[in-house]
Amino acid sequence: MIRNGQYIKDLLVSEPGHTAVAQGWVKTRRDSKGVHFVQLNDGSCFADLQVVIDAGVVTAEAIAPVTTGACVRITGTLVESLGKGQAVELRGETVEVLGDAPPETYPLQKKRHNLETLREFGHFRTRSNTFGAVFRVRNQLAYAIHKFYQERGFLYVHSPILTTSDAEGAGAMFQVTTLDLMNLPRQQPGGAIDHTQDFFGRPAYLTVSGQLEAEIFALAFTNVYTFGPTFRAENSNTPRHLAEFWMIEPEMAFCDLEGNQTLAEEFLKYLITHVMDNCKADLEFFAQRYEPNLLAMLENVASSEFARVPYTEAVRILEESGRQWEFPVHWGSDLQSEHERYLTEETFKRPVIVTDYPKEIKAFYMRANEDGRTVRAMDVLAPGIGEIIGGSQREERLNVLIDRIREAGLDEKHYWWYLDLRRYGSVPHAGFGLGFERMVMYLTGMKNIRDVIPFPRTPGHAEF
Ligand code: 4AD
Ligand code: MG
């Protein structure tokens, strides 16, 4: 079947007076005084097309299956709308039901459902106002990300999803194997598993980050970025963590932590501006339904300078705040969500870039500072969300990097090619990772990360 209709978003801005074919899913149908009012949506925009059908035009049998959730094609004439809220409406002349949705069993009836309930219907929540708006914003955001880097000459790298290296050295990886789990091969009877018989001849995992491979490319193409799925097997059941999430990782040669911070700030502002320009109706809906301050907050972030504060200073602010923290703060402790929110929402009232963290709480690849205690790390914290970006200047000095790998208790043999990059043609370089879903949360005001990814994967949940 060839598409022969037009998107509803185009019909809604057409001149009245011509014949049109509208296709989509019925949001609602209401019958009043011999007229059927059908709200039709095809996902192309937030607004529904109102279709008005005189009872004399269609039989009762023909209109009966036009119920919430049914898929229909309606032909008619676009006319000026007398109702408020839309400039044009469709006067329906013929109605074809392509797929009915019996109201006795269709799970998403007219009434408003809460987000938890909608999560159980991942195959239908896409037809709701909220998820229509979320996934249009997500789509525009993905487009803006590529646009931003392509306009700046960055090369898009496809980093691998299957990997044998632990990019963060944190061990939170999903193992991938084709070995028979009921009958594992052993190096000797009762001994360790014989991974030489596994698919790759050694243990393999789903990647936690494309960074190390992006570094290979940055040391040949200067400025690169990845944009792909990443996986974390940490057992965190929070509104901000997924087991499968998407990450954007730019990596730049000839760049230090200052350049890295500047790019991160420019990048976030560009994304906000793009989505505000291209998803106006969707953002207005989020403001009206979920987060009254959303538009003012986004405008404020797009136009204000991010605060920049070293970790040591951030800890001092938190210690002197007089707050009773659930997780106590002292120099050396990692910042928890409550601390990140205090800095962004109370102290600075805008995004904050915290830099130069203690080396013990950051990954092995971050460049060591002269003080011997901190590394050139940066986290961008956003009001309402906390950490949205994590990054650093990388350790480009071979001997220092070897020491850090050993100190972190990792096996330098596994990082042989990463070390080679420091042996041959090394250069100061830096990069960061933006959590794609955290950015969608930020732009929409949605409070749970499960509601901004098409199919959330969290501990115990991988339906659809
Ligand atoms: O801070 P992270 O772990 O940094 C890295 O992976 C580096 N390799 C990035 C780099 O320098 N190239 O993760 C980066 C961002 C976080 O700031 C957060 O926004 C997001 O990824 N993130 C998650 N998002 C959803 N669910 C999770 N479990 C996440 N873990 C990290
Ligand atoms: Mg981090």
Side-chain angles (χ1 to χ4, degrees):
M1 183 171 61
I2 295 169
R3 178 179 182 86
N4 58 3
Q6 272 184 294
Y7 287 124
I8 284 174
K9 74 169 180 198
D10 297 328
L11 292 178
L12 286 171
V13 294
S14 311
E15 284 297 313
H18 68 91
T19 302
V21 181
Q23 308 178 123
W25 290 266
V26 175
K27 274 269 165 70
T28 59
R29 188 189 96 214
R30 174 166 68 79
D31 305 320
S32 166
K33 301 185 188 129
V35 184
H36 308 294
F37 295 90
V38 179
Q39 298 296 125
L40 200 61
N41 193 283
D42 66 354
S44 63
C45 63
F46 186 82
D48 303 323
L49 175 69
Q50 169 152 291
V51 185
V52 182
I53 308 165
D54 283 325
V57 170
V58 289
T59 62
E61 291 81 65
I63 200 75
V66 180
T67 57
T68 299
C71 183
V72 300
R73 179 186 294 138
I74 303 179
T75 306
T77 309
L78 271 186
V79 298
E80 214 171 292
S81 176
L82 301 177
K84 55 176 167 32
Q86 69 269 327
V88 293
E89 62 190 25
L90 187 69
R91 257 211 178 246
E93 285 143 24
T94 60
V95 177
E96 248 179 288
V97 176
L98 306 177
D100 65 355
E104 313 79 60
T105 48
Y106 181 62
L108 300 190
Q109 292 306 327
K110 246 200 270 187
K111 79 177 181 67
R112 193 183 283 182
H113 299 272
N114 67 34
L115 297 169
E116 288 76 22
T117 310
L118 285 170
R119 254 175 247 147
E120 292 166 26
F121 299 102
H123 53 323
F124 292 132
R125 68 173 185 171
T126 40
R127 297 181 193 171
S128 66
N129 285 337
T130 296
F131 289 94
V134 164
F135 294 124
R136 276 186 300 275
V137 167
R138 188 178 164 108
N139 171 63
Q140 277 300 330
L141 183 62
Y143 175 58
I145 286 162
H146 284 295
K147 199 158 165 282
F148 177 85
Y149 289 113
Q150 294 296 328
E151 282 168 0
R152 284 158 185 73
F154 283 57
L155 185 102
Y156 177 31
V157 190
H158 302 97
S159 45
I161 291 168
L162 289 170
T163 180
T164 54
S165 45
D166 182 354
E168 292 298 302
M173 298 196 291
F174 286 100
Q175 193 166 350
V176 177
T177 181
T178 50
L179 292 179
D180 177 359
L181 297 182
M182 296 302 285
N183 188 19
L184 289 168
R186 303 281 170 182
Q187 290 172 8
Q188 61 279 132
I193 296 166
D194 180 10
H195 282 285
T196 63
Q197 297 189 38
D198 205 345
F199 191 90
F200 296 105
R202 55 199 278 203
Y205 309 91
L206 295 178
T207 189
V208 293
S209 155
Q211 179 196 319
L212 305 194
E213 290 88 355
E215 286 185 52
I216 296 180
F217 271 66
L219 269 61
F221 295 91
T222 307
N223 290 328
V224 305
Y225 69 107
T226 72
F227 185 0
T230 50
F231 307 86
R232 305 260 166 120
E234 49 200 346
N235 197 4
S236 348
N237 242 319
T238 83
R240 312 186 306 142
H241 288 90
L242 290 164
E244 174 180 299
F245 64 100
W246 286 62
M247 191 154 44
I248 301 93
E249 297 185 271
E251 191 69 35
M252 295 157 286
F254 316 101
C255 185
D256 62 11
L257 197 68
E258 271 64 46
N260 208 23
Q261 291 175 77
T262 302
L263 186 86
E265 180 167 348
E266 193 185 329
F267 180 42
L268 294 182
K269 289 177 173 172
Y270 181 99
L271 299 181
I272 291 172
T273 306
H274 177 94
V275 170
M276 290 190 84
D277 289 346
N278 290 278
C279 300
K280 207 162 171 294
D282 294 318
L283 293 187
E284 279 165 4
F285 165 76
F286 290 118
Q288 176 240 317
R289 171 77 68 87
Y290 296 104
E291 179 64 72
N293 273 331
L294 184 67
L295 299 176
M297 194 263 301
L298 292 176
E299 259 157 37
N300 174 38
V301 171
S303 59
S304 65
E305 223 174 275
F306 292 10
R308 299 185 183 192
V309 53
Y311 167 90
T312 301
E313 171 69 9
V315 167
R316 196 187 56 74
I317 293 171
L318 295 167
E319 282 175 336
E320 290 174 4
S321 69
R323 285 271 172 128
Q324 280 302 106
W325 302 111
E326 188 189 340
F327 298 91
V329 265
H330 54 87
W331 200 95
S333 63
D334 207 355
L335 300 185
Q336 302 295 326
S337 180
E338 56 174 338
H339 310 132
E340 297 176 344
R341 296 192 60 168
Y342 182 83
L343 292 170
T344 53
E345 292 163 34
E346 311 281 332
T347 313
F348 294 102
K349 301 194 166 43
R350 55 203 158 113
V352 180
I353 313 184
V354 180
T355 60
D356 302 290
Y357 284 75
K359 62 179 179 179
E360 285 77 16
I361 56 172
K362 288 293 179 187
F364 68 90
Y365 51 70
M366 298 190 180
R367 193 178 200 278
N369 278 321
E370 297 299 305
D371 63 13
R373 325 198 284 163
T374 60
V375 288
R376 299 247 75 191
M378 65 173 216
D379 277 5
V380 181
L381 315 179
I385 309 267
E387 181 190 339
I388 190 161
I389 280 180
S392 68
Q393 185 172 334
R394 318 307 187 190
E395 184 54 76
E396 85 285 10
R397 299 161 296 185
L398 179 64
N399 292 336
V400 185
L401 182 58
I402 292 176
D403 288 346
R404 286 282 289 130
I405 288 178
R406 289 182 186 156
E407 239 173 58
L410 299 167
D411 185 350
E412 65 201 73
K413 281 204 300 293
H414 287 148
Y415 297 95
W416 66 273
W417 51 266
Y418 193 68
L419 291 168
D420 263 3
L421 295 175
R422 278 73 184 164
R423 283 192 184 96
Y424 309 106
S426 190
V427 62
H429 61 289
F432 61 80
L434 168 67
F436 187 53
E437 285 74 23
R438 299 240 177 123
M439 190 62 191
V440 183
M441 289 174 78
Y442 194 47
L443 287 164
T444 58
M446 297 297 284
K447 299 287 182 283
N448 194 313
I449 200 164
R450 294 166 179 80
D451 296 328
V452 298
I453 187 164
F455 303 103
R457 272 82 180 97
T458 53
H461 296 276
E463 194 64 62
F464 308 107

